[in-house]
Amino acid sequence: MDEVAYRSPRTLWHLTRKSVYRAGFVAGLVVALVVFRLLWDRFLDPFEDGYQNWWTASALLETGTYSNRFSLMTQGNWLPGYTFFATGLIAVAGTHIMPLMKAANILFSLETTGLIYGLVRPRGRIAAGLAAALFALSPADIVISSFATPEALALLATFAGVVVLERRPVAQRKPIMIAALAFLVGSTLRYEVWGFVAAYLLLSWRAKRIDRRELLSLAAPASIFAAIWWLWTSQYGFLPAMIIAQTSADVQYKASVGTLAPLTDRLFTFFAWYLGWTPFAVLGIAWGLLKHRKSPLTWILCMFYGAEIVYTAAGFGNPGPRYIHLTLPIVCANSGMAIATIGTWRPRAAQFLRRAQTWGPVLAAVTLSIVLAVQISSVSPPPGFFLSGTQRAGEFLSTLDLPDGKVLISESPIATYYSGYPSSRVLAPSGLPQDAVDATAFIIANAAYVVMVTVPYNRIRQLFPDQANGVNGHHFILLYDATGVEYNFGAPRVLVFRIVP
């Protein structure tokens, strides 16, 4: 108190002004992060994975059975961590809580932003603040964190472990325990975390950032989980083969009908699109290779981009931003340091331009990020345009009672969610018999309604091709054609049938 009392009014004003600036920066960062993600949350998702996660978690809570009735993803394709997190959320807040599941991911992104700031802070406040801002305004995270999928939580857990190890904020042994726990949580969420953690720990050990004992302590929990998971999924088959079989389904189908684009076209299209929305990725890689070659994160960045190319070239699936989402904090951290450093490159003769040259590159980067964030948050048509029929189908079903002892058979998790029916009373076509006669008998005995999505390789379309044209037959009575204008642009039809004896 005496120290404060003896400070001059000018000094106190300077300290107060700095505090106000910092508080304003933090508030602005939080508002920007939340607002842009909420703007994206208002859209219907462009794919159904988030609704599958809801379906799986809700069914687990209602039945006690861990299974995905839509696509059998729980048999190894997806890791179980996010399902159990979502189950806990549903147990606390209620069943149909997709907005809350998405809001949780916004919170995870906010916490990851703080981790990025802490990771870069030793390089200066400007670099750290810019890195955090680039992440908060990143179109990639605005989109991906707005789905009810595990990427946001995986990002938070993984980089919590990295920051704890890099900064060692507490006593010598505690960072190892905390980081090991964080890596364990991340390893239950996404397979990409397995590669990230393995590479990070091995490279850190080789660079003598951690010793052998620390390496074993950090790797043991995640490794034990991976071994148990591999053993448990062996009842369904060989884990890598099951994962590839699922991810390559679209590629194999397009190849079989002759519509698969050449490899170079697919890679060029993806990276042109990705770098258009993530322009600082090139700067992040360049800065890492030029200035941080000794950092494990630089080589992890290169490894993930290389793996995306190999994955596509091998025919394992289509390239996607979710597979390389773990690189985004590294890109933002490297870019923040690079841009902040640009402001220090000035000749002595230009000292009077010091402030402008320091903040010019920073403001330019933030401005570009805001422009991209505004564009991604106001796209037209909306990203879920091609799936809007499934939402209409679910909303139509919500006006109909589901008779006792009967279920809904749905080819769309989105329709399932918007129907409002308990997930335990919804079946997916994957459980239907393989031939039309037995499938018809099963449907008559168990189902009140069927939602058909006329994707060529969907089970109901294959079993009952005539009904894909919207006609009655095989005890199917058309109640509602949810197909809209999106059909004219290549979307499948979405049909709601009543089942009669």
Side-chain angles (χ1 to χ4, degrees):
M1 293 295 295
D2 291 339
E3 182 183 351
V4 174
Y6 285 110
R7 286 176 178 170
S8 67
R10 183 174 181 179
T11 301
L12 290 174
W13 165 247
H14 180 69
L15 292 173
T16 302
R17 186 177 61 180
K18 288 179 66 175
S19 298
V20 170
Y21 287 164
R22 291 172 186 171
F25 168 75
V26 172
L29 198 64
V30 171
V31 169
L33 184 145
V34 172
V35 166
F36 283 119
R37 284 156 181 77
L38 287 177
L39 287 174
W40 232 87
D41 278 345
R42 67 196 165 107
F43 296 132
L44 181 66
D45 290 359
F47 66 104
E48 299 193 278
D49 285 7
Y51 293 87
Q52 283 196 59
N53 284 322
W54 165 81
W55 192 349
T56 305
S58 182
L60 174 60
L61 186 64
E62 293 175 14
T63 67
T65 302
Y66 176 65
S67 67
N68 182 303
R69 297 186 176 198
F70 179 70
S71 60
L72 305 179
M73 289 293 190
T74 50
Q75 296 183 3
N77 299 95
W78 286 352
L79 289 160
Y82 187 75
T83 296
F84 286 94
F85 163 76
T87 301
L89 204 61
I90 291 171
V92 171
T95 305
H96 289 71
I97 56 165
M98 185 61 67
L100 183 58
M101 293 173 67
K102 293 186 174 188
N105 277 357
I106 295 177
L107 178 61
F108 297 148
S109 283
L110 186 60
E111 293 169 338
T112 302
T113 304
L115 290 176
I116 293 171
Y117 182 91
L119 185 64
V120 184
R121 178 61 185 85
R123 299 284 178 173
R125 286 196 178 94
I126 295 177
L130 179 58
L134 293 179
F135 180 79
L137 297 169
S138 166
D141 196 71
I142 288 172
V143 173
I144 293 174
S145 67
S146 298
F147 304 140
T149 52
E151 286 80 12
L153 183 53
L155 210 63
L156 174 62
T158 304
F159 278 88
V162 170
V163 172
V164 167
L165 282 181
E166 295 285 334
R167 298 291 163 253
R168 305 279 177 137
V170 289
Q172 183 64 25
R173 290 183 59 83
K174 288 185 179 179
I176 303 302
M177 298 168 57
I178 296 170
L181 177 60
F183 291 149
L184 171 62
V185 172
S187 71
T188 70
L189 297 166
R190 292 285 296 186
Y191 284 111
E192 293 89 348
V193 177
W194 292 15
F196 186 106
V197 171
Y200 177 75
L201 294 181
L202 288 173
L203 290 169
S204 296
W205 173 64
R206 287 195 62 185
K208 299 184 179 179
R209 293 169 176 259
I210 57 176
D211 59 33
R212 182 174 299 180
R213 183 177 179 180
E214 290 175 331
L215 172 64
L216 294 175
S217 298
L218 289 163
S223 299
I224 292 171
F225 165 76
I228 293 173
W229 178 249
W230 195 303
L231 180 64
W232 183 80
T233 57
S234 64
Q235 63 184 304
Y236 305 113
F238 183 54
L239 182 58
M242 290 189 294
I243 296 171
I244 293 170
Q246 189 275 326
T247 59
S248 64
D250 181 70
V251 172
Q252 291 179 356
Y253 172 76
K254 289 180 178 178
S256 67
V257 298
T259 59
L260 183 65
L263 173 63
T264 53
D265 291 353
R266 283 179 284 147
L267 287 174
F268 177 81
T269 299
F270 169 72
F271 280 106
W273 170 83
Y274 179 78
L275 294 176
W277 291 109
T278 316
F280 297 107
V282 175
L283 179 60
I285 295 173
W287 178 260
L289 293 174
L290 291 172
K291 297 292 184 179
H292 288 280
R293 286 191 296 271
K294 293 183 179 180
S295 171
L297 298 178
T298 295
W299 300 110
I300 288 173
L301 185 61
C302 297
M303 179 188 77
F304 267 77
Y305 283 98
E308 184 90 334
I309 296 171
V310 172
Y311 166 85
T312 307
F316 293 161
N318 295 308
R322 295 169 69 193
Y323 301 137
I324 53 177
H325 194 53
L326 281 171
T327 65
L328 189 59
I330 307 174
V331 166
C332 294
N334 285 0
S335 299
M337 290 185 285
I339 294 169
T341 301
I342 291 173
T344 65
W345 296 345
R346 49 181 172 266
R348 290 188 178 183
Q351 287 299 317
F352 66 93
L353 296 176
R354 179 178 178 181
R355 188 176 297 274
Q357 290 188 354
T358 297
W359 289 101
V362 173
L363 293 176
V366 171
T367 300
L368 175 59
S369 297
I370 292 174
V371 169
L372 291 175
V374 169
Q375 288 182 335
I376 199 69
S377 300
S378 57
V379 291
S380 181
F385 173 71
F386 287 97
L387 295 177
S388 53
T390 61
Q391 180 178 352
R392 290 192 292 268
E395 291 170 342
F396 172 78
L397 285 168
S398 69
T399 66
L400 305 176
D401 291 329
L402 188 60
D404 292 339
K406 295 292 185 177
V407 300
L408 164 68
I409 296 179
S410 175
E411 287 190 310
S412 168
I414 290 177
T416 298
Y417 178 82
Y418 282 100
S419 73
Y421 297 159
S423 58
S424 58
R425 298 189 63 192
V426 182
L427 296 179
S430 58
L432 292 177
Q434 297 288 337
D435 64 278
V437 174
D438 291 341
T440 300
F442 179 90
I443 290 172
I444 292 172
N446 296 283
Y449 310 109
V450 169
V451 176
M452 173 188 283
V453 181
T454 61
V455 175
Y457 48 78
N458 277 4
R459 178 68 64 84
I460 298 178
R461 166 72 179 267
Q462 292 179 335
L463 289 170
F464 308 105
D466 292 339
Q467 277 58 64
N469 296 317
V471 300
N472 299 332
H474 290 94
H475 303 273
F476 286 64
I477 303 298
L478 182 66
L479 290 182
Y480 179 55
D481 186 344
T483 310
V485 65
E486 68 277 359
Y487 180 73
N488 297 327
F489 295 89
R493 298 183 70 179
V494 182
L495 308 170
V496 180
F497 292 93
R498 185 192 298 275
I499 302 302
V500 296

